[in-house]
Amino acid sequence: MQKILREVRPTLSLALPIIVGQLSQMVVGITDSLMVGRVGAVPLAASSFGTSIFGVFYVLGIGLMVPVSVFVAHARGAERPEECGEYLRHGLALALVFGVLETAVMLWLGFRLHWFAQPEEVLAAVNPFFILIGSSITPVLLNLALRQFAEAMGRPWMPVIVMSAMVALNVLLNWILIYGKWGAPALGLTGAGVATVIVRVLGPIALFEWLRRDASLSRALPRAWWAPLSMTRVKEMLRLGVPASGMLLFESGAFAAAALMMGWLGTVALAAHQIAISCASFTFMVPLGLSMAAGMRISEAIGAGERRRLRPVGYAALGIGAVAMAVFMMFFSLGGEMISRWFVHDVAVVTLAAQLLMVAAVFQFFDGAQVIGAGLLRGLKDVKVPVVITFIAYWGIAIGGGYWLGVRGVVGPTGVWWGLALGLAFAAVFLAVRFRRMTGV
């Protein structure tokens, strides 16, 4: 127990700025929902639909950028700073390539959103917003690579400052463009999309300029930014990044599928889902930050040849996550209706959103445990078995259970969320068991 307690403080020290940065990222989406919700339930439902589809591409990119933090942390632990910069350079190249590819796919998909069988009024409102946020994926991936490099190098606070500034700018631009202030036209949901694009382009520019000017990081930056890429290093990063993307894709795809099922149940259900998922996603950033920090600490310990620290680091992260998610469970179970009224005044939407938040209160614990477990295994560079676990959890249990309970069954919208809870519980248990087995002495 003493070994575990000793790892709590360093894990929190690294995780705290990462958590704040992740929360800042989420605040952009939540402020969009809050401000768009004032326009009406249909724009809010359209925002839910569009961001759910975008979220699939976003998490695909997160997985592809995971190798930046893992390999940089490993090289830092082994005291090889020149390799840190090379992993950043190759990570940025991957971000550009995959960002362009994902943008092309989303632009193509933007003219085929009717395939998802959403309410007509939602489809009529969503297209300009979806095209706009889809075009922002490349700067989002560049920002992820730069931020993960800074965090793995032990400098996590500047990305937080940059992200906080972007949140403030997003609120201002939303106010101007959604509601038509300062002489601008009132663009509604489309205005939120324009604001998001501007903010996401400025973020990586600011981060890159800071990294370039920071004297303490200069020796770890690449000496030749435009040198030919090492195919060996690219393959090494993809061997970790592609399965990591698969794991995240299974989860995000399950939540995107849940949003689609909510759309089949009506506009009210979809709008309520957007409120509940915005809140659950916000609190999820706490264990996600812990997951990233613990994964980096695991990788750094391996690089330094200190395998005896692996279990204490992992168990400390899981313990911190359990405490945090227990607090959020109480918050959602006691204040669901109050929280829902922050987003929208429609009585039907508020009532259903409060019911969904009750379910979210239950799966908070499992959601936190599974993402921390996945992060620990990525730090060990163990991805193949976790991919199988997450596929079964999300596409077998979560989606199958949600469909039979919520769409085909009599439970309705809350049934979709109970299916998600069952899938998260399965993933949490088996990823934790896998970590214990992989760190056995």
Short mmCIF file of all heavy atoms in Angstrom, two decimals, residues 139-182:
data_model
loop_
_atom_site.label_atom_id
_atom_site.label_comp_id
_atom_site.label_asym_id
_atom_site.label_seq_id
_atom_site.Cartn_x
_atom_site.Cartn_y
_atom_site.Cartn_z
N PRO A 139 -6.11 20.77 -37.90
CA PRO A 139 -5.51 21.52 -36.77
C PRO A 139 -5.75 20.87 -35.42
O PRO A 139 -4.92 20.99 -34.52
CB PRO A 139 -6.18 22.89 -36.86
CG PRO A 139 -7.36 22.73 -37.74
CD PRO A 139 -7.01 21.62 -38.69
N VAL A 140 -6.87 20.14 -35.26
CA VAL A 140 -7.11 19.42 -34.00
C VAL A 140 -6.04 18.36 -33.77
O VAL A 140 -5.50 18.23 -32.66
CB VAL A 140 -8.52 18.77 -34.01
CG1 VAL A 140 -8.65 17.76 -32.89
CG2 VAL A 140 -9.60 19.84 -33.86
N LEU A 141 -5.70 17.60 -34.81
CA LEU A 141 -4.68 16.56 -34.68
C LEU A 141 -3.29 17.16 -34.45
O LEU A 141 -2.50 16.63 -33.67
CB LEU A 141 -4.67 15.67 -35.92
CG LEU A 141 -5.95 14.88 -36.21
CD1 LEU A 141 -5.72 13.88 -37.33
CD2 LEU A 141 -6.45 14.16 -34.97
N LEU A 142 -2.98 18.25 -35.13
CA LEU A 142 -1.70 18.93 -34.91
C LEU A 142 -1.60 19.40 -33.46
O LEU A 142 -0.55 19.27 -32.81
CB LEU A 142 -1.55 20.11 -35.86
CG LEU A 142 -1.41 19.78 -37.35
CD1 LEU A 142 -1.48 21.04 -38.18
CD2 LEU A 142 -0.09 19.05 -37.61
N ASN A 143 -2.69 19.93 -32.94
CA ASN A 143 -2.73 20.39 -31.56
C ASN A 143 -2.50 19.23 -30.59
O ASN A 143 -1.77 19.35 -29.60
CB ASN A 143 -4.07 21.05 -31.27
CG ASN A 143 -4.12 21.71 -29.90
OD1 ASN A 143 -3.56 22.78 -29.69
ND2 ASN A 143 -4.78 21.06 -28.96
N LEU A 144 -3.11 18.07 -30.88
CA LEU A 144 -2.93 16.89 -30.04
C LEU A 144 -1.46 16.46 -29.99
O LEU A 144 -0.93 16.15 -28.92
CB LEU A 144 -3.79 15.74 -30.56
CG LEU A 144 -5.27 15.74 -30.19
CD1 LEU A 144 -6.00 14.67 -30.98
CD2 LEU A 144 -5.44 15.50 -28.69
N ALA A 145 -0.81 16.42 -31.15
CA ALA A 145 0.59 15.99 -31.20
C ALA A 145 1.48 16.94 -30.40
O ALA A 145 2.34 16.50 -29.62
CB ALA A 145 1.06 15.91 -32.65
N LEU A 146 1.29 18.23 -30.58
CA LEU A 146 2.10 19.22 -29.87
C LEU A 146 1.85 19.16 -28.37
O LEU A 146 2.78 19.24 -27.55
CB LEU A 146 1.78 20.62 -30.40
CG LEU A 146 2.22 20.90 -31.85
CD1 LEU A 146 1.55 22.16 -32.38
CD2 LEU A 146 3.73 21.02 -31.94
N ARG A 147 0.59 19.00 -27.99
CA ARG A 147 0.25 18.96 -26.57
C ARG A 147 0.80 17.71 -25.90
O ARG A 147 1.34 17.76 -24.78
CB ARG A 147 -1.27 19.01 -26.42
CG ARG A 147 -1.73 19.35 -25.00
CD ARG A 147 -3.22 19.45 -24.93
NE ARG A 147 -3.84 18.13 -24.91
CZ ARG A 147 -5.11 17.90 -25.26
NH1 ARG A 147 -5.85 18.88 -25.68
NH2 ARG A 147 -5.61 16.69 -25.19
N GLN A 148 0.71 16.57 -26.57
CA GLN A 148 1.21 15.34 -25.97
C GLN A 148 2.73 15.36 -25.85
O GLN A 148 3.29 14.81 -24.88
CB GLN A 148 0.74 14.13 -26.78
CG GLN A 148 -0.76 13.93 -26.68
CD GLN A 148 -1.19 12.51 -27.00
OE1 GLN A 148 -0.44 11.57 -26.89
NE2 GLN A 148 -2.44 12.37 -27.41
N PHE A 149 3.41 16.00 -26.78
CA PHE A 149 4.86 16.15 -26.66
C PHE A 149 5.21 16.97 -25.42
O PHE A 149 6.07 16.59 -24.63
CB PHE A 149 5.41 16.83 -27.91
CG PHE A 149 6.87 17.19 -27.81
CD1 PHE A 149 7.86 16.24 -27.96
CD2 PHE A 149 7.25 18.51 -27.55
CE1 PHE A 149 9.21 16.57 -27.86
CE2 PHE A 149 8.58 18.85 -27.44
CZ PHE A 149 9.57 17.89 -27.59
N ALA A 150 4.53 18.10 -25.26
CA ALA A 150 4.80 18.96 -24.10
C ALA A 150 4.52 18.23 -22.79
O ALA A 150 5.30 18.32 -21.83
CB ALA A 150 3.96 20.24 -24.19
N GLU A 151 3.43 17.48 -22.73
CA GLU A 151 3.08 16.75 -21.51
C GLU A 151 4.10 15.66 -21.20
O GLU A 151 4.52 15.48 -20.06
CB GLU A 151 1.68 16.16 -21.66
CG GLU A 151 0.58 17.21 -21.67
CD GLU A 151 -0.75 16.69 -22.18
OE1 GLU A 151 -0.81 15.54 -22.67
OE2 GLU A 151 -1.74 17.43 -22.12
N ALA A 152 4.53 14.92 -22.24
CA ALA A 152 5.50 13.85 -22.02
C ALA A 152 6.87 14.40 -21.63
O ALA A 152 7.66 13.70 -21.00
CB ALA A 152 5.63 13.00 -23.29
N MET A 153 7.14 15.65 -22.00
CA MET A 153 8.41 16.28 -21.63
C MET A 153 8.33 16.95 -20.26
O MET A 153 9.26 17.63 -19.83
CB MET A 153 8.81 17.32 -22.68
CG MET A 153 9.22 16.73 -24.02
SD MET A 153 10.66 15.65 -23.93
CE MET A 153 11.93 16.82 -23.43
N GLY A 154 7.22 16.76 -19.55
CA GLY A 154 7.07 17.33 -18.22
C GLY A 154 6.72 18.80 -18.20
O GLY A 154 6.90 19.47 -17.19
N ARG A 155 6.18 19.33 -19.32
CA ARG A 155 5.80 20.74 -19.41
C ARG A 155 4.32 20.85 -19.80
O ARG A 155 4.00 21.34 -20.88
CB ARG A 155 6.68 21.46 -20.43
CG ARG A 155 8.18 21.47 -20.10
CD ARG A 155 8.47 22.31 -18.87
NE ARG A 155 7.97 23.66 -19.01
CZ ARG A 155 8.61 24.62 -19.70
NH1 ARG A 155 9.74 24.37 -20.31
NH2 ARG A 155 8.09 25.83 -19.77
N PRO A 156 3.41 20.41 -18.94
CA PRO A 156 2.00 20.32 -19.34
C PRO A 156 1.19 21.60 -19.17
O PRO A 156 0.05 21.66 -19.66
CB PRO A 156 1.46 19.23 -18.42
CG PRO A 156 2.27 19.36 -17.17
CD PRO A 156 3.64 19.80 -17.61
N TRP A 157 1.71 22.62 -18.48
CA TRP A 157 0.86 23.75 -18.12
C TRP A 157 0.64 24.75 -19.26
O TRP A 157 -0.43 25.35 -19.37
CB TRP A 157 1.41 24.47 -16.88
CG TRP A 157 1.00 23.77 -15.63
CD1 TRP A 157 1.81 23.05 -14.79
CD2 TRP A 157 -0.32 23.68 -15.07
NE1 TRP A 157 1.08 22.52 -13.75
CE2 TRP A 157 -0.23 22.89 -13.89
CE3 TRP A 157 -1.56 24.16 -15.46
CZ2 TRP A 157 -1.34 22.59 -13.10
CZ3 TRP A 157 -2.66 23.86 -14.66
CH2 TRP A 157 -2.55 23.10 -13.51
N MET A 158 1.64 24.95 -20.12
CA MET A 158 1.43 25.90 -21.21
C MET A 158 0.31 25.47 -22.16
O MET A 158 -0.50 26.32 -22.57
CB MET A 158 2.73 26.12 -21.98
CG MET A 158 2.60 27.17 -23.09
SD MET A 158 1.94 28.78 -22.53
CE MET A 158 3.35 29.40 -21.61
N PRO A 159 0.20 24.19 -22.52
CA PRO A 159 -0.97 23.80 -23.32
C PRO A 159 -2.30 24.12 -22.63
O PRO A 159 -3.28 24.45 -23.30
CB PRO A 159 -0.79 22.28 -23.48
CG PRO A 159 0.69 22.07 -23.41
CD PRO A 159 1.18 23.09 -22.42
N VAL A 160 -2.30 24.04 -21.29
CA VAL A 160 -3.52 24.39 -20.55
C VAL A 160 -3.84 25.87 -20.71
O VAL A 160 -5.00 26.26 -20.94
CB VAL A 160 -3.36 24.05 -19.05
CG1 VAL A 160 -4.53 24.59 -18.24
CG2 VAL A 160 -3.24 22.54 -18.86
N ILE A 161 -2.82 26.70 -20.60
CA ILE A 161 -3.02 28.15 -20.75
C ILE A 161 -3.53 28.48 -22.14
O ILE A 161 -4.47 29.27 -22.32
CB ILE A 161 -1.70 28.89 -20.44
CG1 ILE A 161 -1.32 28.70 -18.98
CG2 ILE A 161 -1.82 30.38 -20.79
CD1 ILE A 161 0.07 29.20 -18.63
N VAL A 162 -2.93 27.86 -23.15
CA VAL A 162 -3.35 28.11 -24.53
C VAL A 162 -4.80 27.67 -24.72
O VAL A 162 -5.62 28.39 -25.30
CB VAL A 162 -2.42 27.38 -25.52
CG1 VAL A 162 -3.00 27.44 -26.94
CG2 VAL A 162 -1.03 27.99 -25.50
N MET A 163 -5.13 26.48 -24.20
CA MET A 163 -6.49 25.96 -24.37
C MET A 163 -7.51 26.83 -23.64
O MET A 163 -8.60 27.08 -24.15
CB MET A 163 -6.55 24.53 -23.84
CG MET A 163 -7.81 23.79 -24.22
SD MET A 163 -7.97 23.57 -26.00
CE MET A 163 -9.73 23.91 -26.21
N SER A 164 -7.15 27.33 -22.47
CA SER A 164 -8.06 28.20 -21.72
C SER A 164 -8.34 29.48 -22.48
O SER A 164 -9.48 29.98 -22.51
CB SER A 164 -7.47 28.52 -20.34
OG SER A 164 -7.31 27.34 -19.59
N ALA A 165 -7.30 30.02 -23.12
CA ALA A 165 -7.48 31.22 -23.94
C ALA A 165 -8.41 30.94 -25.11
O ALA A 165 -9.25 31.77 -25.49
CB ALA A 165 -6.13 31.74 -24.43
N MET A 166 -8.27 29.74 -25.70
CA MET A 166 -9.12 29.37 -26.82
C MET A 166 -10.58 29.20 -26.39
O MET A 166 -11.50 29.52 -27.14
CB MET A 166 -8.62 28.08 -27.46
CG MET A 166 -7.25 28.18 -28.14
SD MET A 166 -7.16 29.45 -29.43
CE MET A 166 -6.23 30.74 -28.58
N VAL A 167 -10.79 28.68 -25.18
CA VAL A 167 -12.16 28.55 -24.66
C VAL A 167 -12.82 29.93 -24.54
O VAL A 167 -13.97 30.13 -24.95
CB VAL A 167 -12.16 27.84 -23.29
CG1 VAL A 167 -13.54 27.94 -22.63
CG2 VAL A 167 -11.77 26.38 -23.44
N ALA A 168 -12.07 30.87 -23.97
CA ALA A 168 -12.61 32.23 -23.82
C ALA A 168 -12.93 32.84 -25.18
O ALA A 168 -13.99 33.48 -25.36
CB ALA A 168 -11.61 33.10 -23.06
N LEU A 169 -12.04 32.64 -26.14
CA LEU A 169 -12.27 33.16 -27.48
C LEU A 169 -13.49 32.50 -28.12
O LEU A 169 -14.29 33.16 -28.79
CB LEU A 169 -11.04 32.94 -28.35
CG LEU A 169 -11.15 33.41 -29.81
CD1 LEU A 169 -11.41 34.92 -29.87
CD2 LEU A 169 -9.86 33.05 -30.58
N ASN A 170 -13.67 31.20 -27.90
CA ASN A 170 -14.81 30.48 -28.45
C ASN A 170 -16.13 31.03 -27.91
O ASN A 170 -17.10 31.19 -28.67
CB ASN A 170 -14.68 28.99 -28.14
CG ASN A 170 -15.78 28.17 -28.80
OD1 ASN A 170 -15.78 27.97 -30.00
ND2 ASN A 170 -16.71 27.67 -27.99
N VAL A 171 -16.17 31.32 -26.61
CA VAL A 171 -17.38 31.88 -26.02
C VAL A 171 -17.71 33.23 -26.65
O VAL A 171 -18.86 33.52 -27.01
CB VAL A 171 -17.22 32.03 -24.49
CG1 VAL A 171 -18.39 32.81 -23.91
CG2 VAL A 171 -17.13 30.65 -23.84
N LEU A 172 -16.69 34.07 -26.80
CA LEU A 172 -16.89 35.39 -27.40
C LEU A 172 -17.40 35.26 -28.83
O LEU A 172 -18.38 35.92 -29.23
CB LEU A 172 -15.59 36.19 -27.36
CG LEU A 172 -15.62 37.56 -28.05
CD1 LEU A 172 -16.63 38.49 -27.38
CD2 LEU A 172 -14.23 38.19 -28.07
N LEU A 173 -16.73 34.42 -29.63
CA LEU A 173 -17.14 34.27 -31.03
C LEU A 173 -18.53 33.64 -31.14
O LEU A 173 -19.31 34.01 -32.03
CB LEU A 173 -16.10 33.41 -31.77
CG LEU A 173 -14.72 34.05 -31.96
CD1 LEU A 173 -13.75 33.07 -32.61
CD2 LEU A 173 -14.82 35.32 -32.81
N ASN A 174 -18.85 32.69 -30.26
CA ASN A 174 -20.20 32.14 -30.24
C ASN A 174 -21.24 33.22 -30.00
O ASN A 174 -22.28 33.29 -30.68
CB ASN A 174 -20.32 31.07 -29.14
CG ASN A 174 -19.95 29.68 -29.62
OD1 ASN A 174 -19.80 29.43 -30.81
ND2 ASN A 174 -19.80 28.77 -28.68
N TRP A 175 -20.98 34.04 -29.00
CA TRP A 175 -21.91 35.12 -28.66
C TRP A 175 -22.14 36.05 -29.85
O TRP A 175 -23.28 36.47 -30.12
CB TRP A 175 -21.36 35.89 -27.46
CG TRP A 175 -22.22 37.03 -26.99
CD1 TRP A 175 -23.39 36.95 -26.32
CD2 TRP A 175 -21.94 38.42 -27.17
NE1 TRP A 175 -23.88 38.21 -26.06
CE2 TRP A 175 -23.01 39.14 -26.56
CE3 TRP A 175 -20.90 39.14 -27.77
CZ2 TRP A 175 -23.06 40.53 -26.55
CZ3 TRP A 175 -20.95 40.53 -27.75
CH2 TRP A 175 -22.03 41.20 -27.15
N ILE A 176 -21.07 36.34 -30.57
CA ILE A 176 -21.17 37.24 -31.72
C ILE A 176 -21.89 36.57 -32.88
O ILE A 176 -22.82 37.15 -33.48
CB ILE A 176 -19.77 37.70 -32.17
CG1 ILE A 176 -19.12 38.58 -31.09
CG2 ILE A 176 -19.85 38.48 -33.48
CD1 ILE A 176 -17.66 38.89 -31.35
N LEU A 177 -21.50 35.34 -33.20
CA LEU A 177 -21.95 34.71 -34.44
C LEU A 177 -23.26 33.93 -34.30
O LEU A 177 -24.02 33.84 -35.26
CB LEU A 177 -20.85 33.77 -34.96
CG LEU A 177 -19.54 34.47 -35.34
CD1 LEU A 177 -18.46 33.45 -35.66
CD2 LEU A 177 -19.75 35.41 -36.53
N ILE A 178 -23.53 33.36 -33.12
CA ILE A 178 -24.81 32.65 -32.95
C ILE A 178 -25.97 33.63 -32.85
O ILE A 178 -27.01 33.47 -33.51
CB ILE A 178 -24.77 31.75 -31.69
CG1 ILE A 178 -23.78 30.59 -31.88
CG2 ILE A 178 -26.16 31.18 -31.39
CD1 ILE A 178 -23.60 29.73 -30.64
N TYR A 179 -25.77 34.68 -32.03
CA TYR A 179 -26.87 35.60 -31.73
C TYR A 179 -26.84 36.88 -32.57
O TYR A 179 -27.77 37.69 -32.49
CB TYR A 179 -26.84 35.99 -30.25
CG TYR A 179 -26.84 34.80 -29.32
CD1 TYR A 179 -25.91 34.70 -28.30
CD2 TYR A 179 -27.77 33.77 -29.47
CE1 TYR A 179 -25.90 33.61 -27.44
CE2 TYR A 179 -27.76 32.68 -28.61
CZ TYR A 179 -26.83 32.59 -27.60
OH TYR A 179 -26.82 31.52 -26.76
N GLY A 180 -25.77 37.10 -33.38
CA GLY A 180 -25.71 38.28 -34.24
C GLY A 180 -25.38 39.56 -33.48
O GLY A 180 -26.08 40.57 -33.64
N LYS A 181 -24.34 39.55 -32.69
CA LYS A 181 -23.93 40.72 -31.93
C LYS A 181 -22.86 41.51 -32.70
O LYS A 181 -22.23 41.00 -33.61
CB LYS A 181 -23.38 40.30 -30.56
CG LYS A 181 -24.33 39.46 -29.74
CD LYS A 181 -25.59 40.21 -29.35
CE LYS A 181 -26.49 39.38 -28.46
NZ LYS A 181 -27.72 40.10 -28.06
N TRP A 182 -22.67 42.76 -32.27
CA TRP A 182 -21.64 43.65 -32.84
C TRP A 182 -21.78 43.78 -34.36
O TRP A 182 -20.80 43.87 -35.10
CB TRP A 182 -20.24 43.18 -32.49
CG TRP A 182 -19.90 43.32 -31.03
CD1 TRP A 182 -20.68 43.87 -30.05
CD2 TRP A 182 -18.71 42.89 -30.38
NE1 TRP A 182 -20.06 43.82 -28.85
CE2 TRP A 182 -18.84 43.23 -29.01
CE3 TRP A 182 -17.54 42.26 -30.80
CZ2 TRP A 182 -17.83 42.95 -28.07
CZ3 TRP A 182 -16.55 41.99 -29.88
CH2 TRP A 182 -16.69 42.34 -28.53
#
